[in-house]
Amino acid sequence: MVNTGIEKDTKIICYHCGEECKSDDIAIGDKYFCCNGCKTVYELLDQTDMCNYYNFESSPGVSQNNSIKRNFDFLDNISIKDKIIQFKNNNFSTASFFIPSMHCSSCIWILENLNKFNRGIIYSEVDFLKKSCSVKFKEEQISLKQVVELLDRIGYTPTFNLDKENSTNDYDYKSLYYKLGIAGFSFGNIMLLSFPEYLSLGDFQTDNLKIIFAYINFVLSLPVFFYSSSLYYLSALKGLREKIINIDVPIALGVFVLFIRSVYDLFLGFGPGYFDSLSGLVFLLLIGKLFQNKTYDTLNFERNYKSYFPLASTKIEYNKEFALPLELIKLKDRLLIRNSELIPADSVLMKGKANIDYSFVTGESIPVKCEIGDVIYAGGRQVGSNIEVEVVKEVSQSYLTQLWNHKAFSGKFNSELNNITNVISKYFTIVILLLALIAAVMHMHSYILALNAFTAVLIVACPCALALAAPFTLGNSLRIFSRQKFYLKNIDVIEKLAKITAIVFDKTGTLTKNSKFKAVFNGNTLSGIEEQIIKSAVKSSYHPFSQAIYNSIDNNLTFEVEEYEEITGYGITCSVNGNLVKLGSKLLMGNMINEEAAGSVVYISINDKVMGYYSFVNFYRSGINDLISELTKMYKLFVVSGDNENERENLSKIFTKNTELRFKQNPYDKLHFIEELQNKGEVVLMIGDGLNDAGALKQSDIGISVSEDINNFYPACDGILSAEKFINLSKFLKFSKYAKKIIMVSFIISFIYNIIGLSFAYTGTLSPLIAAVLMPVSSISVVLFTTFSVNFYAQKKGLL
Amino acid sequence: MSVILVLLGFSLFVALVFLGAFIWAVKSGQYDDKYTPSVRILFDDINNKKESKKIKENK
């Protein structure tokens, strides 16, 4: 009997997605699949002769394991369709889709060959880094909805967000490239033409040539002065208007003085001017800017609830169903919510069996049962059969979405003002102006000499190295972090990370693993055969509890399962080896249970005899103890959790006694708690994951969201940390402090160069050659120093 | 000396051509996506492959 079980010594890997198969039941020939979803995709590709897909990378597919049938009816709604279709004429339409599951070259290949699936598709093009796929198709042959359904069928479900349509970024980066290109062009040519001057070759003929060269240099520097460096003037002006001296003020001042002094020298015949220094300076600065502007196209740090909610819901009116865009949902509307659809607004259950998964809102993945007349909150996900609800609050006024009306979300404060470079540049500018004045006073006897000394100080002190230190140090750190799957919004966040004094953790999904449980059996000891029976019964269920039970039983032998039935919200009934097995809620057991166990449990009965129940505990991330004890040394720690106090005991084992643990905190409580800490003068780092942390993440000085899959789900924040790297948090924090030190040291280096330069300026001997050498040397040495020291430290700490 | 001026004019002209090429490249979107084309170029054309298969079968 027992030998009917399957030996599972060797792992079977799904041919499509590469996940481990639970059994070899699902197979075509010698190819095994983990689930029917993967098999279906394979069959589809096989039919259309697209199996090349599997040749570029092994098991490139997207797991269909947890996939659900999605409803794209809303794409037939004209107002929504018009927003998605970017361009349309009589012959074709184009639309661009954001496809988070894109991950390898096979993905690119199949998405660019969509036209092989349907003749209505003319062509499709992928931008891998942006994870977008733009499709050109003929609407008379294939509708937008059908295109999306095709994408969904092959495992590349697009996500829609109508808010995101801002292409200003595109323009910004292009204009920076233009400026850089022109500055580079001028810099190269001016350097070449200045060479005779550097070598100071002098006879009558070359002197004439030198003058011609100098005039050409002047012409070449015009676009650099007027176009390439314009962004520094604008930024400096903007700063001055707000009465702030940012780093761009001394830069703009330096560039202006360089240009005017050079023109003055050239036209009055005093010398060739400093055009080479001018163009070199601007070129180097723009490279720094390019380095600093590195962003992650696929990550959007400004998400609000609209990014998670569907675009439309199904409204029922006069017994007819139609898709209604979310913003048109009004009070008293009756909505149809299908299996695994989100509830868009707070509403009352009118019809059907509601089983709501609030994991989006609270981080708890155990579904809650609701009776007719109960209020269901927006953000919950229906699991099970269709339900009908009546809206009691508009979408934007619902319990959860109201959070976004809080002032923490409206204030758009500029963090740049407080960064280290700008703080220093304020004093720097004042000191330089003073020094320049002193130099002028020293040469009072001749106004030409005084003017020369004054301008020479401003030229030589132009804070090129100063302006490059932070972008290169922090830009490099940003890259090292991103290699460790820690993605920050911009380089200012790293600087701020170095300043934090307190860390607030969310529990579920942050300290613990989301939707992963450890199953603990309570009841009579199970025999080996009984364990095998239970393991067989839960084998083909994807419910997190079933998987937890499956993993908790070590026995590797399983039996054939017959008459398998899974009732959502209740449990599983099936027949294993002729034994009737029931797993699930108390209701499923009938009248056999007198006392209900506390919390979420799964009862087990074999042949109508209750064996006991499984209860579930959260898994804490491994290494969490070390991380917390490390952090306790440096920061004040707090925990805010939406859960009940059940976990207090476990948590206090991890944290020290002084740590404040708060339970049953709603999203507002969390936000206010952060506010309280800030009022006490703490600089707060909030680490959370769910929409329920969104307010706290926004209110905190730095909000970092922990995510199991960075493509999936995270609220608006300053940084995204991949869950697997969570235990590296203390390393990241230490690194940010180190980066700040590096910046300080490079400031000192750049000051030393300034002092050397000033000694030339004061004596009135600043030749164009010295200026042209000193400036790039100081900038390049600062850049090299920061790059090497950041990489060295990263290597030492194992972050590279 | 005039030789140098002619050469200078010519070198500036060449440099301008390259600058123009760079600006054109940015404008036409070649810097929009710096990754995907590097992968795309490695793919075989499906149609060719099918045809070559057919040819093989016919043989």
Side-chain angles (χ1 to χ4, degrees):
Chain A
M1 274 295 264
V2 181
N3 286 341
T4 52
I6 295 149
E7 289 289 346
K8 280 189 60 171
D9 282 329
T10 48
K11 280 184 184 172
I12 306 171
I13 300 293
C14 178
Y15 184 68
H16 179 70
C17 72
E19 273 189 26
E20 189 188 337
C21 303
K22 284 185 171 182
S23 68
D24 60 359
D25 295 348
I26 309 165
I28 300 175
D30 58 345
K31 302 178 177 76
Y32 296 99
F33 300 94
C34 67
C35 59
N36 278 316
C38 287
K39 189 178 150 202
T40 317
V41 178
Y42 172 77
E43 282 167 346
L44 181 74
L45 297 183
D46 196 32
Q47 279 162 21
T48 37
D49 213 358
M50 298 278 280
C51 281
N52 221 346
Y53 180 58
Y54 298 100
N55 295 341
F56 299 111
E57 313 232 352
S58 62
S59 312
V62 179
S63 170
Q64 302 294 306
N65 225 333
N66 301 315
S67 78
I68 31 165
K69 211 169 171 289
R70 291 172 195 82
N71 187 310
F72 295 108
D73 285 346
F74 62 86
L75 291 173
D76 284 336
N77 182 300
I78 290 170
S79 72
I80 291 179
K81 204 163 84 177
D82 284 350
K83 278 185 192 166
I84 293 171
I85 290 185
Q86 291 158 329
F87 176 81
K88 187 178 175 172
N89 68 13
N90 291 333
N91 294 322
F92 61 86
S93 312
T94 50
S96 181
F97 303 103
F98 179 61
I99 301 174
S101 51
M102 196 187 291
H103 63 279
C104 66
S105 53
S106 282
C107 302
I108 300 175
W109 183 80
I110 197 157
L111 287 169
E112 297 207 328
N113 281 303
L114 285 179
N115 53 350
K116 300 291 182 306
F117 291 102
N118 191 309
R119 287 178 164 269
I121 295 173
I122 303 167
Y123 81 78
S124 46
E125 194 178 76
V126 169
D127 184 333
F128 187 75
L129 297 179
K130 286 185 182 150
K131 302 211 175 199
S132 76
C133 177
S134 69
V135 181
K136 194 166 159 186
F137 59 101
K138 290 182 185 150
E139 268 195 272
E140 61 258 41
Q141 288 181 33
I142 183 169
S143 72
L144 178 69
K145 184 181 147 191
Q146 285 167 319
V147 173
V148 173
E149 279 173 346
L150 170 65
L151 287 170
D152 183 49
R153 234 178 22 246
I154 56 173
Y156 295 99
T157 314
T159 55
F160 298 98
N161 184 3
L162 299 184
D163 280 351
K164 229 176 89 184
E165 292 156 79
N166 46 353
S167 52
T168 48
N169 249 344
D170 245 31
Y171 176 74
D172 273 4
Y173 103 83
K174 276 191 180 171
S175 102
L176 185 59
Y177 271 112
Y178 292 145
K179 285 179 176 137
L180 187 64
I182 287 171
F185 160 79
S186 300
F187 172 55
N189 284 293
I190 291 175
M191 273 310 222
L192 197 70
L193 294 176
S194 304
F195 224 71
E197 195 69 43
Y198 296 160
L199 301 175
S200 39
L201 301 168
D203 54 59
F204 176 71
Q205 276 203 335
T206 43
D207 274 354
N208 259 343
L209 263 185
K210 274 191 204 165
I211 292 166
I212 297 171
F213 284 4
Y215 277 98
I216 294 174
N217 281 349
F218 164 69
V219 174
L220 285 172
S221 72
L222 288 175
V224 178
F225 179 69
F226 286 106
Y227 178 66
S228 292
S229 42
S230 57
L231 76 173
Y232 292 100
Y233 311 148
L234 292 176
S235 159
L237 263 181
K238 202 175 128 200
L240 288 177
R241 220 174 277 154
E242 286 164 30
K243 296 193 176 123
I244 294 149
I245 300 177
N246 55 26
I247 184 71
D248 293 336
V249 174
I251 290 175
L253 192 69
V255 171
F256 254 93
V257 171
L258 260 172
F259 186 72
I260 292 168
R261 166 80 188 265
S262 306
V263 171
Y264 171 84
D265 276 7
L266 178 65
F267 284 88
L268 293 183
F270 290 124
Y274 303 87
F275 295 113
D276 45 353
S277 302
L278 171 71
S279 53
L281 170 83
V282 174
F283 183 60
L284 280 172
L285 284 171
L286 287 173
I287 288 179
K289 201 110 200 160
L290 194 72
F291 209 75
Q292 172 179 4
N293 277 7
K294 151 106 188 148
T295 48
Y296 307 101
D297 289 321
T298 49
L299 302 177
N300 180 357
F301 292 94
E302 307 297 339
R303 291 184 175 187
N304 65 13
Y305 65 89
K306 284 182 188 150
S307 319
Y308 316 105
F309 280 30
L311 291 181
S313 228
T314 315
K315 185 178 168 180
I316 305 179
E317 205 169 48
Y318 309 117
N319 287 328
K320 274 187 195 161
E321 297 173 11
F322 58 93
L324 184 71
L326 222 53
E327 58 269 21
L328 295 182
I329 291 176
K330 288 187 296 291
L331 293 183
K332 306 248 165 166
D333 275 355
R334 204 168 166 122
L335 305 177
L336 175 73
I337 310 290
R338 298 188 183 85
N339 182 17
S340 75
E341 279 185 353
L342 275 186
I343 318 284
D346 292 357
S347 26
V348 169
L349 181 62
M350 305 301 281
K351 200 172 148 189
K353 279 177 187 157
N355 199 30
I356 308 293
D357 166 11
Y358 280 117
S359 58
F360 255 17
V361 186
T362 59
E364 273 298 349
S365 54
I366 302 163
V368 178
K369 245 177 263 159
C370 296
E371 304 292 328
I372 286 174
D374 283 356
V375 175
I376 304 175
Y377 294 102
R381 189 189 280 283
Q382 161 67 356
V383 185
S385 53
N386 296 357
I387 53 170
E388 283 179 37
V389 297
E390 193 177 286
V391 177
V392 291
K393 269 183 186 163
E394 277 172 41
V395 176
S396 63
Q397 296 303 317
S398 289
Y399 174 71
L400 178 72
T401 51
Q402 235 182 10
L403 197 61
W404 275 265
N405 301 333
H406 189 275
K407 63 175 192 303
F409 287 91
S410 57
K412 218 183 173 184
F413 53 94
N414 196 348
S415 62
E416 259 176 48
L417 302 178
N418 295 322
N419 73 26
I420 203 172
T421 315
N422 283 335
V423 169
I424 288 195
S425 78
K426 191 166 77 188
Y427 300 104
F428 183 83
T429 312
I430 296 167
V431 170
I432 289 303
L433 279 173
L434 276 177
L435 286 176
L437 277 176
I438 293 170
V441 171
M442 277 167 64
H443 296 276
M444 274 290 272
H445 49 275
S446 146
Y447 82 94
I448 292 181
L449 271 184
L451 200 68
N452 273 354
F454 182 79
T455 49
V457 170
L458 290 180
I459 288 170
V460 95
C462 188
C464 184
L466 200 65
L468 290 177
F472 273 89
T473 312
L474 300 176
N476 216 349
S477 312
L478 204 71
R479 239 159 292 240
I480 286 164
F481 282 0
S482 73
R483 234 175 281 169
Q484 294 291 316
K485 300 192 176 171
F486 181 34
Y487 305 92
L488 294 174
K489 189 159 81 176
N490 55 38
I491 59 171
D492 290 324
V493 178
I494 301 183
E495 260 195 69
K496 270 209 263 170
L497 265 184
K499 288 186 202 156
I500 58 160
T501 57
I503 306 178
V504 179
F505 293 97
D506 167 53
K507 190 193 69 108
T508 325
T510 308
L511 298 174
T512 66
K513 280 185 188 167
N514 217 353
S515 73
K516 213 162 182 194
F517 308 95
K518 206 161 114 188
V520 182
F521 185 72
N522 309 278
N524 311 335
T525 324
L526 296 170
S527 70
I529 295 282
E530 281 164 345
E531 279 192 339
Q532 283 171 35
I533 290 174
I534 295 169
K535 188 160 185 168
S536 317
V538 292
K539 190 172 74 175
S540 38
S541 164
Y542 289 112
H543 194 281
F545 286 175
S546 305
Q547 291 184 333
I549 295 175
Y550 184 87
N551 291 330
S552 72
I553 300 171
D554 290 331
N555 207 319
N556 270 337
L557 297 166
T558 52
F559 300 111
E560 290 290 332
V561 177
E562 285 158 351
E563 294 163 37
Y564 179 84
E565 194 181 5
E566 188 169 350
I567 313 156
T568 312
Y570 289 91
I572 299 167
T573 60
C574 61
S575 159
V576 182
N577 255 2
N579 301 309
L580 174 68
V581 181
K582 287 183 182 173
L583 298 101
S585 67
K586 188 185 168 203
L587 281 170
L588 191 76
M589 299 294 131
N591 301 326
M592 294 181 292
I593 294 157
N594 306 323
E595 261 177 78
E596 196 166 359
S600 316
V601 295
V602 166
Y603 290 98
I604 307 283
S605 81
I606 299 178
N607 292 328
D608 280 333
K609 184 177 167 234
V610 178
M611 312 300 290
Y613 62 88
Y614 277 98
S615 58
F616 300 90
V617 285
N618 282 126
F619 257 133
Y620 283 87
R621 296 189 191 283
S622 55
I624 194 105
N625 283 319
D626 295 338
L627 173 69
I628 297 298
S629 62
E630 185 92 341
L631 290 176
T632 318
K633 288 180 214 153
M634 302 185 281
Y635 305 102
K636 290 175 196 160
L637 303 183
F638 304 89
V639 177
V640 288
S641 170
D643 276 357
N644 49 34
E645 306 236 356
N646 283 351
E647 285 289 313
R648 183 180 280 277
E649 204 182 320
N650 284 333
L651 273 176
S652 46
K653 272 182 213 155
I654 298 172
F655 289 87
T656 54
K657 277 177 200 159
N658 308 330
T659 310
E660 197 176 333
L661 308 172
R662 291 197 171 201
F663 294 94
K664 288 188 182 166
Q665 301 282 300
N666 69 28
Y668 292 95
D669 294 338
K670 291 186 177 183
L671 197 161
H672 291 140
F673 179 64
I674 303 279
E675 230 173 353
E676 250 172 63
L677 284 176
Q678 285 172 328
N679 289 340
K680 282 182 204 158
E682 305 283 353
V683 183
V684 185
L685 166 66
M686 169 78 202
I687 299 176
D689 75 319
L691 268 186
N692 61 332
D693 300 320
L697 288 171
K698 193 81 193 178
Q699 174 67 38
S700 60
D701 296 272
I702 300 176
I704 290 175
S705 78
V706 177
S707 181
E708 299 282 348
D709 177 0
I710 56 152
N711 295 323
N712 262 351
F713 162 77
Y714 50 87
C717 54
D718 299 305
I720 299 155
L721 174 58
S722 171
E724 57 186 292
K725 299 287 181 184
F726 179 70
I727 47 167
N728 279 350
L729 186 68
S730 67
K731 276 189 194 169
F732 293 134
L733 293 175
K734 273 187 197 155
F735 196 92
S736 69
K737 287 189 171 175
Y738 183 75
K740 205 173 163 180
K741 273 183 204 148
I742 293 177
I743 295 178
M744 290 311 231
V745 175
S746 22
F747 282 173
I748 292 170
I749 295 177
S750 97
F751 288 146
I752 290 172
Y753 279 109
N754 273 336
I755 291 166
I756 298 172
L758 283 173
S759 64
F760 285 108
Y762 264 67
T763 50
T765 53
L766 181 72
S767 70
L769 176 61
I770 292 171
V773 169
L774 207 58
M775 229 176 261
V777 165
S778 74
S779 304
I780 289 165
S781 58
V782 161
V783 167
L784 287 179
F785 168 73
T786 57
T787 313
F788 279 122
S789 47
V790 165
N791 284 352
F792 173 74
Y793 187 79
Q795 208 127 43
K796 210 173 89 186
K797 293 288 161 188
L799 285 175
L800 206 67
Chain B
M1 194 175 97
S2 58
V3 173
I4 291 178
L5 289 181
V6 171
L7 283 177
L8 182 65
F10 189 72
S11 82
L12 272 178
F13 171 74
V14 172
L16 273 172
V17 168
F18 279 106
L19 179 66
F22 174 74
I23 289 172
W24 168 77
V26 174
K27 193 169 250 166
S28 65
Q30 292 184 30
Y31 283 77
D32 289 354
D33 183 356
K34 281 165 271 181
Y35 179 78
T36 325
S38 71
V39 180
R40 194 179 291 139
I41 196 165
L42 299 172
F43 295 147
D44 290 328
D45 211 342
I46 293 187
N47 293 333
N48 292 347
K49 214 172 186 185
K50 256 190 197 168
E51 275 158 24
S52 60
K53 248 189 201 171
K54 270 180 200 164
I55 295 167
K56 269 182 200 166
E57 279 162 14
N58 288 343
K59 276 178 187 172

